[in-house]
Amino acid sequence: MSTPFYVSPQQAMADRAEYARKGIARGRSVVVLTYADGIVFVAENTSRALHKVSEIYDKIAFAAVGRYNEFENLRIGGVRYADLRGYSYDRADVTARGLANVYAQTLGTIFSSVGEKPYEVELIVAEVGRTDADDQIYRLTPDGSVVDEKNAVVVGGNADSIGSYLGQRHRSGLGLAEALKLAVDGLARDPNGGSPRTLTPEQLEVAVLDRQRPRQRKFKRILGGQLARLLSGDESAAAEDEGDASADTE
Amino acid sequence: MEANLSGTGRLPAAFLTPGSSSFLDFLDSHAPQLLPGRRTLPEGMTVEAPHGTTIVSAVFDGGVVLAGDRRATMGNVIAQRDIEKVFPADEYSAVGIAGTAGLAVEMVRLFQLELEHYEKIEGAVLSFEGKANRLTTMIRSNLAMAMQGLAVVPVFAGYDLDLGRGRIFTYDVTGGRSEERSGFAATGSGSVFARGAMKKLYRDGLTGEQAATLAVQALYDAADDDSATGGPDLARKIFPIVTLITEDGFRRLDEDEVAAIAVTITEQRREHPNGPQAPLL
C-alpha cells in the first residue's frame, strides 16, 4: 500500500489559489464602473450568445470572467435564488449583499472541499441604488472572499494594470459616454506598455444598470447603433429610447 | 472546525443544476410547497372566498385592450370594491383573471415570474404561444381546487411581435385554451352580457381609444345585468382598469383617462339607459 505524500494545508490552499488564478488570468477582462445614472459593465466579448454580463434581478446584475460553464452555473443559481426570494418575500428584499453572501459561501465551500476542484471564476455582483451613494459593487474571488468595491473594478486578465489606470482617471458623475470611453481605453491598454489596441463595438459587450430607467427592471444591454454612437462620444445617445435600442438587435 | 459541505449558506444543489429554464419546474423540485397546485382541500369541503368577476378584451388596429371591473363578491356580499384583476404578464402581454381572487393573484405573480425567469435564464423572450401554454399548465394544476369551487379562469391578451398584431386567448377551468379569432372575448360572471354588448359594438379597424371605450361599454352592460359585476363608481371614483398592449408595450390607462370615458358613457346612458343602438338590418 502506498503512503500519500504529506502536503501542508498552507501549501494545498496556495496551490488551489494558484490554479484558480491562472485559469482566470487567461481570459479577457471585464470592467465595471459607476457613472452619473448608475453602473456600466463593459466586457471584451465577441460572442453574442455567451454573455459575460447578465441581469439577475430588478436592480442587480452579474459580471464574470473565467471558465464559462462554471460562472454560467453560478449565474443561473443566482437568478433562481433571487426569483425565489423575491417570490417568497418581496421584490425589495432581494439585495446584492445577500446574493454576494450566497456566492461567497458557495465558492468558499467548493474551494476548500478536497473532493472538488476550485472554480476558476471571478465574479462581480452590483446593485444600483436610488442615488449614487447607494450603489453597491461586490467582487468575489474563487476562494470565496468578498471585496466591497467603489467606483471602478476590473476582473480578469490584466486586472491590476487596468485597475490602476481606471483608478487614477475615474471620478464621480461621469456621463455614460465618458464612462464607456474610459472603460474601453482601459481594456485596450497593452500590459507590456505597447500601443493600445483598437476595440470596435462588435468586440464589446456593454450593459447598464440605469437608475433613471422608468421600469422596475433597471438592467439594459447597449447594442449596435447606440453603442457605436456612445463610443464616438455622443452623450445624447445615452438617453435613447428603448424601442431604438431593441430595434438595433433585430 | 468542520468544513461546511451541505448546510447553511451554500446554494443547494437544485440551484446549480443545469437544465430547466422554468421557474415552476425549479419550484417543483426545490420548494413544492410553494406551488399552488400542490395544495388540496379536504374531501367534500367547499370554501367561500372572494370571487373576481368580469374581464373583457378586444383586438384593435395595432394592439389589444384588456379591461376588468373592480368588484369582488362573496356570495351576496360585495367583498371588495376596488380589487385589481388585470395585470401585466410581461412587456407585451397581460392577463386578466376571473374566479377566486386569492388564488388568481398568486397565479398571476407566479406567471409573471415564470416569464421573467425564462427571459433572464435564456436571454430570449418566450413565443406568444409559449407564454399561453405556460398559463395552461398553471390552470390545469389548479383543477382539483376548481372542482371544489375555487376556480381561476383567465384571459391572456397581448401583442405578438412575430405576427405584428394583438391576440387573445381564453381558458376554461381544465386549462383548455382557445384563441379568440372574432376579435373580442369576455370571461367571468358578467361575461354573457359583456359579450352580447361587444357583439353589437365591435367592428374591424378600431383605434386604441375606441377599443378602450368599447371595453368600458361592455363592462357597463355587464354590471347592468349581473349583480356581481361593478359598474363605474362615480361617487367613490372607482373606475374599471383598462390596459392597452401595442408594439410599444403594455400601458395601463391613467385613472383620469378611464374616468373621462366612464363619465361620458354614464352621461349618455342617462338619455339612453341601454347604451348605443346597433342598426336593425
Side-chain angles (χ1 to χ4, degrees):
Chain A
M1 201 176 103
S2 63
T3 317
F5 287 111
Y6 172 74
V7 182
S8 72
Q10 288 87 343
Q11 188 58 46
M13 288 299 125
D15 286 351
R16 289 175 153 254
E18 178 67 12
Y19 168 80
R21 199 191 56 74
K22 276 194 175 152
I24 293 162
R26 275 196 291 272
R28 303 264 187 216
S29 305
V30 177
V31 171
V32 179
L33 285 177
T34 58
Y35 73 104
D37 289 334
I39 301 170
V40 57
F41 300 75
V42 185
E44 207 184 326
N45 184 1
T46 46
S47 169
R48 291 263 157 193
L50 310 179
H51 294 299
K52 289 184 172 179
V53 179
S54 316
E55 174 184 18
I56 296 281
Y57 209 63
D58 293 352
K59 292 176 291 182
I60 305 172
F62 170 97
V65 291
R67 226 178 228 279
Y68 178 77
N69 68 322
E70 291 176 349
F71 69 68
E72 174 67 4
N73 225 2
L74 288 169
R75 180 185 75 87
I76 290 174
V79 171
R80 287 175 177 162
Y81 162 86
D83 280 348
L84 179 59
R85 199 174 167 82
Y87 182 65
S88 321
Y89 299 100
D90 185 73
R91 294 193 82 93
D93 298 311
V94 182
T95 61
R97 197 175 53 81
L99 183 64
N101 261 322
V102 171
Y103 278 148
Q105 294 290 344
T106 305
L107 285 169
T109 311
I110 292 170
F111 184 80
S112 51
S113 120
V114 181
E116 292 176 85
K117 86 166 194 58
Y119 272 19
E120 299 159 77
V121 295
E122 198 158 352
L123 313 179
I124 293 178
V125 174
E127 175 177 345
V128 67
R130 218 166 272 151
T131 65
D132 53 0
D134 303 325
D135 290 346
Q136 295 170 42
I137 305 176
Y138 298 99
R139 182 166 61 89
L140 292 118
T141 57
D143 61 357
S145 311
V146 189
V147 189
D148 193 346
E149 301 274 7
K150 291 269 174 286
N151 305 325
V153 201
V154 189
V155 288
N158 309 315
D160 291 342
S161 87
I162 302 174
S164 65
Y165 177 85
L166 296 179
Q168 289 159 12
R169 286 162 183 80
H170 183 270
R171 60 190 167 74
S172 59
L174 285 175
L176 181 55
E178 289 175 287
L180 195 55
K181 182 170 185 326
L182 178 59
V184 173
D185 286 350
L187 286 173
R189 273 165 58 86
D190 184 344
N192 303 318
S195 60
R197 297 173 299 141
T198 313
L199 293 173
T200 62
E202 289 73 41
Q203 290 167 284
L204 294 170
E205 179 184 357
V206 179
V208 290
L209 282 169
D210 179 358
R211 74 177 115 259
Q212 306 294 351
R213 200 167 184 241
R215 314 225 172 102
Q216 196 169 29
R217 290 161 68 182
K218 306 295 183 194
F219 181 87
K220 185 189 154 202
R221 291 190 187 282
I222 295 183
L223 303 152
Q226 191 189 10
L227 178 57
R229 283 188 290 283
L230 278 167
L231 284 174
S232 66
D234 179 6
E235 197 67 61
S236 64
E240 264 173 34
D241 185 45
E242 299 281 325
D244 291 357
S246 59
D248 283 332
T249 64
E250 252 84 72
Chain B
M1 222 171 81
E2 206 176 67
N4 173 14
L5 292 175
S6 58
T8 53
R10 180 177 178 173
L11 284 171
F15 284 75
L16 297 173
T17 311
S20 173
S21 308
S22 161
F23 187 69
L24 289 176
D25 291 354
F26 169 65
L27 274 191
D28 198 42
S29 66
H30 179 65
Q33 75 281 3
L34 291 175
L35 281 178
R38 287 297 187 97
R39 271 166 240 149
T40 46
L41 287 175
E43 281 293 312
M45 289 277 287
T46 54
V47 177
E48 201 167 323
H51 271 65
T53 43
T54 310
I55 303 288
V56 297
S57 183
V59 174
F60 60 88
D61 264 6
V64 60
V65 61
L66 184 68
D69 75 309
R70 305 293 292 273
R71 182 170 289 180
T73 57
M74 203 159 76
N76 65 323
V77 175
I78 294 172
Q80 197 180 342
R81 291 178 202 286
D82 60 351
I83 192 171
E84 302 195 353
K85 293 177 285 192
V86 180
F87 305 88
D90 66 358
E91 211 34 58
Y92 292 101
S93 60
V95 55
I97 294 208
T100 314
L103 291 179
V105 170
E106 185 182 21
M107 197 178 279
V108 169
R109 274 187 80 199
L110 210 47
F111 182 56
Q112 290 168 329
L113 198 51
E114 175 77 4
L115 301 186
E116 182 190 329
H117 190 80
Y118 182 93
E119 198 182 315
K120 288 193 289 198
I121 299 250
E122 294 284 320
V125 182
L126 268 173
S127 67
F128 199 79
E129 302 268 343
K131 294 177 199 172
N133 282 338
R134 289 316 293 166
L135 195 50
T136 298
T137 313
M138 298 181 68
I139 297 159
R140 197 162 285 152
S141 72
N142 193 53
L143 185 58
M145 301 279 260
M147 303 291 284
Q148 287 173 287
L150 301 180
V152 176
V153 187
V155 173
F156 179 62
Y159 186 82
D160 189 328
L161 288 165
D162 297 331
L163 298 183
R165 60 177 170 86
R167 298 175 78 180
I168 305 171
F169 282 95
T170 53
Y171 297 83
D172 61 40
V173 284
T174 63
R177 185 199 83 173
S178 56
E179 180 164 8
E180 297 291 336
R181 293 175 203 279
S182 56
F184 58 87
T187 189
S189 64
S191 62
V192 186
F193 311 109
R195 201 175 298 124
M198 283 196 288
K199 212 177 193 174
K200 299 295 171 212
L201 293 177
Y202 184 80
R203 64 214 66 174
D204 289 334
L206 290 172
T207 65
E209 205 175 321
Q210 289 171 327
T213 308
L214 167 73
V216 180
Q217 287 278 21
L219 287 172
Y220 196 110
D221 279 318
D224 210 16
D225 289 310
D226 171 37
S227 63
T229 304
D233 189 340
L234 298 182
R236 293 193 183 82
K237 304 214 176 342
I238 299 170
F239 302 104
I241 291 178
V242 182
T243 64
L244 298 178
I245 306 131
T246 62
E247 203 178 359
D248 299 330
F250 173 92
R251 186 171 83 90
R252 178 174 158 173
L253 296 194
D254 295 342
E255 192 152 300
D256 294 344
E257 291 175 87
V258 185
I261 297 172
V263 167
T264 313
I265 289 176
T266 314
E267 289 299 325
Q268 278 187 351
R269 300 246 175 173
R270 275 192 224 282
E271 304 288 320
H272 308 283
N274 295 332
Q277 289 181 339
L280 263 186
L281 267 178

